[in-house]
Amino acid sequence: MSEDLTTYAQCVANNSTGDALLECVANGLDESIDSLASGVDSFYLIFAGALVYFMQTGFAMLCAGSIRSKNCKNVLLWNLLDSAGGCIAFWSVGYAFAYGGDDPARGTTFIGHTNFFLMQNVDMEQWFFQFAFCCALSSIVAGTVAERCKMAAYLCYSLALTGFVYPVVVRSIWSTSGFLTAFRDDAFRGVGMIDFAGSGVVHMTGGATALVAAKILGARRGRFEDADGNPLPEPASFPAHSVALQVLGTFILWFGWYGFNPGSALYISSSGYADIAGLCAVTTTLAAAAGAITAMFTDTILGQMKTGEAEYDLTYAMNGCLSGLVGVTAGTSVVTPYGALFIGIVAGWVYCGFSALLLKLKIDDAVDAIPVHFANGMWGCIAVGLFAEPTRTAIAYGSDKHVGWFYSWGRGTGDANLLLVEFCGILWIIGWVAATMIPFFLCLNFLGWFRVDALEEEVGLDISHHKGAAYDLAGPTKEDVEELVARRSTAHGKVEAPANEEA
């Protein structure tokens, strides 16, 4: 029986007639529509969260492919434990610190204080979606410190990051009780920080943690110095062991970003939310494409100017794509499609420049996660302050009083309030991560828990820590091959054709 007939039957059973019957049916239909809309929104958020969580596969493939084969099992295990450990940390305390006691009427609070272990009423689909984001943040660090970080250290900082450091950032920017949030009537400087899907909250936080870790941990052996400790004229290159895994990981991450950005609309049942999600899908796509093309061809042109040969580096195309995705994440709901294209172009240049800067500073990032996530996380926040378009900002955030600086000049005001708030958000994230993670990593280093032994690093973490190599590369012995050849040559005849006899 249909829902409409059920509602009508219930109204008739209640002896409703005439106008009362019509009113009863109308009220019942409204309740049914509201229930359907709520169900659609819940499914949308769960589906988007699943896409974001699938990005863990992308991170795992990209990290594993980008390093040497002797450390493959190690980094894959790390990515798996990001999900397992992150789940427990975010369930027990992380979500409570981020959203617990979220009440704009009570003013701003630094950290949440209720809903530990999800003990109170919580929208479970909301928790799942936020958990997927938390896992993505933790995986950003894994690639940077790969090939020389101890397992115990990784577990310690992964739990600290997902259970405390990241939730405080979330609280400040995404919670209605945060001091930088845009979701309050008394928002900071009248606008609050616009970071729709997390260029700053997720990617900058993870990238800044990776930068601190890489600096304190030090470079891989042989990267910048020879065996005697003498500086190398050029940094040594450690080629990726599987380009196929790298490309697979990049495509999976791009795919997952359609949950990351459009999913951050959180709802889909009304036309306004649907419009936001649709815009996010378009801006995400354009920025990724522009970043990939810009980074690769920038490297090609610079290489040709230096050597006279035009070469096309797949790594720059992949990381440029990811840089474009990170760069547009903050403003994906408030920028125009051509604005997203420009953001992606600049993101490709930011990646190229910051990657070169890390080499100059002798900071070893095994997968170039710092230029992709930290540098382009900053660029994404700045881009909002420049390119937030009034109409789209009003749809997504309910007000167009303070918009991107370029549009403010078009209004004749030059209002840079939003740009200033974005800079404040950047400084806050850097300051918070530095204040918490620098002492944390220094403590791990002091205790000898951070870096593996030199011999273990040389042999590879798969053999030294995980009961054997990821790949069985042992081939047949030379004697076995020779015996097989000899056996086939005799068993199958190898008969010579008889000479022609004279007639």
Side-chain angles (χ1 to χ4, degrees):
M1 184 181 292
S2 72
E3 187 73 21
D4 293 351
L5 291 177
T6 302
T7 301
Y8 178 79
Q10 289 174 346
C11 291
V12 171
N14 292 331
N15 298 319
S16 298
T17 59
D19 291 342
L21 177 61
L22 292 176
E23 183 178 357
C24 177
V25 172
N27 291 336
L29 290 177
D30 286 342
E31 292 178 2
S32 298
I33 292 171
D34 290 342
S35 177
L36 177 62
S38 177
V40 169
D41 287 335
S42 294
F43 175 78
Y44 177 70
L45 199 58
I46 293 171
F47 180 73
L51 287 180
V52 176
Y53 183 69
F54 188 56
M55 293 172 71
Q56 289 299 105
T57 308
F59 280 118
M61 296 300 97
L62 179 61
C63 290
S66 298
I67 61 174
R68 290 168 290 184
S69 61
K70 64 182 181 180
N71 299 301
C72 185
K73 286 171 67 174
N74 176 256
V75 80
L76 288 174
L77 179 59
W78 284 0
N79 278 271
L80 179 59
L81 292 178
D82 279 334
S83 297
C87 172
I88 302 302
F90 200 66
W91 164 73
S92 57
V93 296
Y95 188 81
F97 287 154
Y99 293 104
D102 201 358
D103 184 0
R106 299 178 59 182
T108 61
T109 53
F110 180 74
I111 195 168
H113 52 83
T114 62
N115 276 347
F116 293 99
F117 301 95
L118 302 184
M119 296 294 287
Q120 285 79 33
N121 291 329
V122 175
D123 290 333
M124 294 301 173
E125 64 272 19
Q126 174 74 10
W127 180 89
F128 173 69
F129 187 69
Q130 296 298 331
F131 149 74
F133 271 58
C134 185
C135 288
L137 161 100
S138 184
S139 294
I140 291 170
V141 188
T144 296
V145 299
E147 302 196 301
R148 75 268 200 205
C149 179
K150 281 188 175 180
M151 190 73 185
Y154 186 80
L155 292 173
C156 287
Y157 80 70
S158 180
L159 292 174
L161 193 60
T162 56
F164 179 63
V165 178
Y166 169 69
V168 170
V169 177
V170 171
R171 180 79 175 186
S172 65
I173 298 171
W174 282 347
S175 164
T176 56
S177 297
F179 68 92
L180 280 175
T181 186
F183 306 110
R184 296 177 59 89
D185 293 334
D186 59 344
F188 180 59
R189 297 192 64 84
V191 61
M193 183 178 183
I194 294 178
D195 185 6
F196 186 75
S199 288
V201 174
V202 178
H203 297 282
M204 256 196 74
T205 302
T209 303
L211 177 59
V212 172
K215 181 62 179 176
I216 296 175
L217 182 61
R220 289 167 290 177
R221 290 174 58 83
R223 178 70 162 134
F224 299 114
E225 298 176 346
D226 61 21
D228 298 323
N230 300 313
L232 297 173
E234 292 289 337
S237 176
F238 297 151
H241 93 274
S242 176
V243 176
L245 288 180
Q246 286 182 296
V247 174
L248 176 62
T250 301
F251 272 120
I252 291 174
L253 288 172
W254 188 347
F255 177 74
W257 235 283
Y258 293 116
F260 211 96
N261 286 359
S264 291
L266 302 182
Y267 307 97
I268 197 66
S269 58
S270 68
S271 59
Y273 289 117
D275 291 341
I276 292 171
L279 174 65
C280 291
V282 172
T283 54
T284 298
T285 304
L286 288 172
I293 292 171
T294 301
M296 187 188 74
F297 281 105
T298 298
D299 175 69
T300 298
I301 293 169
L302 293 177
Q304 187 171 23
M305 292 170 60
K306 184 177 180 181
T307 65
E309 296 291 336
E311 298 177 311
Y312 306 96
D313 195 326
L314 178 60
T315 299
Y316 274 83
M318 293 185 298
N319 285 332
C321 170
L322 298 177
S323 295
L325 290 165
V326 172
V328 81
T329 293
T332 183
S333 65
V334 298
V335 301
T336 61
Y338 62 81
L341 187 75
F342 186 79
I343 289 171
I345 291 171
V346 176
W349 290 333
V350 169
Y351 165 72
C352 293
F354 210 87
S355 180
L357 177 62
L358 287 184
L359 293 180
K360 290 288 185 183
L361 298 175
K362 295 187 177 181
I363 296 175
D364 185 17
D365 183 349
V367 299
D368 258 357
I370 297 170
V372 170
H373 297 280
F374 176 65
N376 275 294
M378 285 193 293
W379 161 237
C381 295
I382 294 170
V384 170
L386 298 174
F387 294 103
E389 191 266 337
T391 301
R392 290 168 173 82
T393 303
I395 293 173
Y397 286 89
S399 173
D400 64 351
K401 183 178 179 181
H402 302 289
V403 294
W405 194 38
F406 293 152
Y407 291 95
S408 295
W409 280 108
R411 290 174 167 181
T413 63
D415 174 22
N417 236 13
L418 178 57
L419 182 60
L420 176 61
V421 172
E422 297 297 316
F423 272 113
C424 290
I426 290 170
L427 293 176
W428 151 242
I429 293 171
I430 293 174
W432 172 246
V433 171
T436 52
M437 298 312 292
I438 289 177
F440 187 84
F441 285 126
L442 286 175
C443 182
L444 289 177
N445 200 43
F446 176 77
L447 294 173
W449 293 1
F450 203 6
R451 183 164 187 140
V452 298
D453 177 77
L455 180 59
E456 292 176 339
E457 180 181 346
E458 193 66 32
V459 171
L461 301 186
D462 288 358
I463 292 176
S464 61
H465 285 70
H466 303 293
K467 300 183 178 180
Y471 304 103
D472 181 8
L473 300 179
T477 64
K478 182 180 178 181
E479 291 77 9
D480 289 341
V481 174
E482 290 176 348
E483 181 181 351
L484 178 63
V485 171
R487 183 184 301 172
R488 285 183 172 178
S489 66
T490 56
H492 296 292
K494 275 271 185 174
V495 180
E496 296 182 3
N500 291 333
E501 297 183 359
E502 293 183 2

